[in-house]
Amino acid sequence: MAVGKNDFLPEESFKSWGNYVNALKETPARLADRLLTRSSVEAELEVKARSENEMKRTLSWWDLIWFGMGAVIGAGIFVLTGREARDAAGPAVVISYAVSGFSALLSVFCYTEFAVEIPVAGGSFAYLRVELGDFMAFIAAGNILLEYIIGGAAVARTWTSYFATLCNHTSDEFRITVHHLAEGYNQLDPIAVGILAIICAIAVLSTKGSSRINYIASVVHIVVILFIIVCGIIKADTKNYAPFAPFGPRGIFKASAVLFFSYVGFDAVSTMAEETKNPAKDIPIGLVGSMVITTIIYCLMAVTLCLMQPYQTIDPDAPFSRAFEIVGWGWAQYIVAAGALKGMTSVLLVSAVGQARYLTHIARTHMMPPWFAKVDTKTGTPINATIVMLAATAVIAFFTDLGILSNLLSISTLIIFMLVAVALLVRRYYVSGETTTENRNKLVVFLILIIGSSVATAAYWGVSQSGWIAYCITAPMWLLSTFGLWFFVPHARKPKLWGIPLVPWLPSTSIAINIFLLGSIDKDSFIRFGIWSGFLLLYYFFFGLHASYDTAKEFEGKAMHDGRLRKVEEGQVSATNLA
């Protein structure tokens, strides 16, 4: 089928150069409109029609649990555990995993309520668009897509390294060195590109087929992990657990911020809500169940590694394989390498499925070209979005060294998860047209205090090596702000099917922990976040803003013309007119 301009820029603002110039002149007014408008649940469900065909509902909670574990258990546990145990936390790396796991679990609760209430493929983009508006949703979604691409490239490069180990070779022997390219970009990795091409073909053909392959790979992976834990404990020496925390609390939390990358991926499962048979039942079991199991596995593997050898001698690149070799079980390193390959294959597959669905839903709103939103009639999968996202991942994986990719790990994801928790509080405490001005203002004040006290705590942690006075101010401020929200602001909405318990305490805790972990991340990551966000702003102001504005107004006009009086954007239509 021929592809033309209307597949990418069909909106009125791009029909001619004159229209585009006029649209640019209206940028301030359009930006104000997009900043102040929030999508509705009905609108998010309605935009599914823009994909021309619906995705097939084939997934159960059992599929989601295995998708969840397949999305998460991969390169992080097999690579980062050794580095953080040796250089940052020592044997206390198990606490680092527990802290990251607790933070991820709180985020899972928030994602679960949204995924049940808004069962569409957009994930956090759709949730933030409903509660925080178009602009914030676009910035958040852009960083999630970047995290998927960078994370996928890192996993693909690591896949090559473990494949080389399995074949009794070094990873450099499987890569092509081009001397005239810059250092860090001159080790070309055709194997990483090849595995991504295979993953792309599987993800394009069928979501259920992807689920079956992921299920088989995850079962094999879990068996290998159990082998590592059981056999590792057999060769354990408790003397290796002393000293337990050689780098102190700061080392534990520094490692926790890096190890959060090991939990990245579960949000991909929430993007599959549109393909879930019974979202109200399957999503809570699938998301929460997979995260609990994953956290337990991570902690057990961390304990096993540090019991097998002193933390100072842990190999940073292949910690588990090297540990078995040191204790005299050299043959076991091949089992470990095979298990790591299975795990990373699952991560790549689930990531491919999730990232394509993010892009699909963004394109449905026309913030990205609608060509990406098309769902194939035969396969029921978003082919265009899948191919483009994996092609971008393959380009980065082909050129970029793992060391460079590893510097771009967790910052975007922590910020996204923090925003989702904020959005959940907004959803529970504010309904346009129903919440009084007084309660709205109190909500805004308490949210500012919760976020502000959390930022102050993280900043003080980042700049002060031994101080404690500021914590005596920021911690009570967070506690009193959360209490104030709980006591003084009534709930405006109750979840229809499934809701996170202990609101506002759990979402507020999620905000605080995610922001606190940001205080342990290096400066380069914040620079990368700023550069990428700047690029997103340029795209949004010149293209995404005008395309999404035209689409929203066109959709609103059609709804009114049909006599449905359906609210397209909250704040534009009075709630009393929606009955």
Side-chain angles (χ1 to χ4, degrees):
M1 182 182 295
V3 177
K5 172 181 171 293
N6 285 337
D7 290 303
F8 293 90
L9 296 171
E11 300 80 17
E12 188 65 30
S13 293
F14 305 100
K15 293 292 185 182
S16 67
W17 280 107
N19 287 6
Y20 184 55
V21 171
N22 290 332
L24 291 179
K25 291 178 181 178
E26 296 176 8
T27 295
R30 292 185 174 197
L31 178 61
D33 178 85
R34 294 293 89 194
L35 284 172
L36 297 175
T37 55
R38 300 155 65 222
S39 178
S40 66
V41 175
E42 292 81 3
E44 292 303 306
L45 295 174
E46 185 75 24
V47 296
K48 289 196 296 183
R50 299 175 192 167
S51 287
E52 297 181 5
N53 299 288
E54 289 196 3
M55 298 183 192
K56 298 178 180 178
R57 291 188 176 274
T58 58
L59 303 179
S60 67
W61 63 266
W62 183 254
D63 295 312
L64 295 182
I65 283 182
W66 287 102
F67 259 123
M69 291 191 293
V72 174
I73 303 175
I77 184 66
F78 284 105
V79 177
L80 295 179
T81 306
R83 294 185 181 185
E84 297 309 309
R86 190 188 68 169
D87 300 331
V93 70
V94 63
I95 299 180
S96 301
Y97 267 118
V99 171
S100 296
F102 179 67
S103 175
L105 184 61
L106 292 177
S107 297
V108 162
F109 278 123
C110 297
Y111 267 84
T112 300
E113 178 169 331
F114 273 119
V116 171
E117 297 286 307
I118 312 174
V120 295
S124 57
F125 171 77
Y127 314 150
L128 295 178
R129 188 166 178 259
V130 167
E131 301 303 337
L132 301 184
D134 271 15
F135 178 74
M136 190 64 69
F138 178 78
I139 295 298
N143 278 279
I144 278 288
L145 290 177
L146 178 67
E147 206 68 35
Y148 270 124
I149 292 172
I150 295 297
V155 174
R157 299 278 297 197
T158 306
W159 199 99
T160 300
S161 298
Y162 270 90
F163 182 68
T165 300
L166 192 64
C167 299
N168 273 327
H169 288 273
T170 64
S171 57
D172 289 342
E173 294 180 72
F174 280 49
R175 296 189 175 112
I176 303 169
T177 302
V178 181
H179 297 289
H180 67 271
L181 292 178
E183 185 70 25
Y185 301 92
N186 61 345
Q187 293 284 324
L188 307 186
D189 195 334
I191 293 179
V193 175
I195 187 62
L196 286 169
I198 295 172
I199 292 294
C200 181
I202 296 172
V204 161
L205 289 176
S206 168
T207 302
K208 187 64 178 180
S210 300
S211 174
R212 293 192 185 102
I213 293 173
N214 173 72
Y215 172 71
I216 296 170
S218 296
V219 168
V220 174
H221 192 205
I222 294 299
V223 170
V224 173
I225 287 174
L226 291 175
F227 169 84
I228 292 172
I229 294 171
V230 173
C231 294
I233 291 177
I234 291 175
K235 304 296 292 185
D237 185 349
T238 55
K239 294 179 181 178
N240 293 328
Y241 237 54
F244 178 68
F247 301 96
R250 189 165 295 275
I252 292 173
F253 285 107
K254 180 181 178 181
S256 184
V258 176
L259 292 173
F260 196 85
F261 174 69
S262 300
Y263 292 96
V264 170
F266 76 81
D267 52 319
V269 180
S270 71
T271 69
M272 299 173 196
E274 196 174 313
E275 297 157 272
T276 303
K277 295 176 182 177
N278 184 356
K281 170 190 173 185
D282 297 334
I283 293 175
I285 297 175
L287 274 171
V288 177
S290 62
M291 184 52 60
V292 170
I293 295 171
T294 297
T295 302
I296 293 173
I297 288 174
Y298 280 178
C299 291
L300 289 175
M301 290 185 71
V303 169
T304 301
L305 178 65
C306 293
L307 282 174
M308 291 179 71
Q309 63 184 122
Y311 75 90
Q312 304 95 327
T313 64
I314 292 176
D315 186 275
D317 297 316
F320 289 96
S321 297
R322 183 62 178 163
F324 278 103
E325 187 176 348
I326 288 176
V327 298
W329 284 15
W331 54 270
Q333 66 178 316
Y334 302 109
I335 297 177
V336 173
L341 288 176
K342 289 288 187 182
M344 286 182 280
T345 301
S346 296
V347 168
L348 289 172
L349 181 58
V350 179
S351 176
V353 172
Q355 68 190 11
R357 279 140 188 82
Y358 264 113
L359 182 55
T360 296
H361 198 80
I362 297 170
R364 286 168 171 172
T365 68
H366 287 221
M367 288 187 193
M368 292 290 286
W371 181 77
F372 295 116
K374 293 183 178 180
V375 174
D376 185 77
T377 306
K378 183 177 179 181
T379 65
T381 59
I383 290 180
N384 297 342
T386 303
I387 293 174
V388 169
M389 288 297 294
L390 285 174
T393 304
V395 170
I396 294 176
F398 186 56
F399 289 99
T400 314
D401 182 75
L402 180 61
I404 295 175
L405 295 173
S406 65
N407 290 326
L408 309 177
L409 296 179
S410 300
I411 181 170
S412 292
T413 307
L414 286 167
I415 290 177
I416 302 306
F417 291 172
M418 181 272 292
L419 288 175
V420 169
V422 171
L424 183 68
L425 289 177
V426 172
R427 180 171 181 80
R428 287 292 193 95
Y429 287 97
Y430 177 75
V431 175
S432 179
E434 297 182 15
T435 303
T436 65
T437 302
E438 180 185 0
N439 286 333
R440 182 199 63 191
N441 293 340
K442 286 190 288 186
L443 170 63
V444 171
V445 169
F446 286 129
L447 284 178
I448 291 174
L449 290 173
I450 289 171
I451 296 172
S453 60
S454 301
V455 170
T457 302
Y460 189 67
W461 173 263
V463 300
S464 175
Q465 295 296 317
S466 57
W468 56 272
I469 296 297
Y471 301 133
C472 296
I473 300 173
T474 59
M477 184 183 297
W478 172 86
L479 184 65
L480 291 174
S481 302
T482 307
F483 176 81
L485 181 59
W486 172 74
F487 187 79
F488 292 108
V489 185
H491 280 221
R493 177 190 283 118
K494 292 183 179 180
K496 299 176 182 178
L497 300 173
W498 189 92
I500 180 174
L502 300 177
V503 174
W505 295 101
L506 289 188
S508 181
T509 302
S510 179
I511 293 170
I513 293 179
N514 286 327
I515 293 178
F516 182 77
L517 291 177
L518 284 171
S520 299
I521 292 180
D522 64 282
K523 179 181 68 175
D524 290 341
S525 293
F526 283 98
I527 293 174
R528 190 275 307 163
F529 180 78
I531 293 173
W532 175 245
S533 295
F535 172 78
L536 287 176
L537 287 174
L538 288 176
Y539 173 84
Y540 186 74
F541 290 146
F542 284 98
F543 295 99
L545 168 63
H546 307 293
S548 60
Y549 178 87
D550 287 350
T551 302
K553 296 307 177 184
E554 179 185 358
F555 180 69
E556 179 182 357
K558 287 181 178 179
M560 297 297 293
H561 182 267
D562 292 343
R564 291 176 289 176
L565 295 177
R566 179 177 298 170
K567 181 169 62 173
V568 177
E569 305 286 348
E570 290 193 18
Q572 293 184 3
V573 180
S574 172
T576 58
N577 294 331
L578 300 178

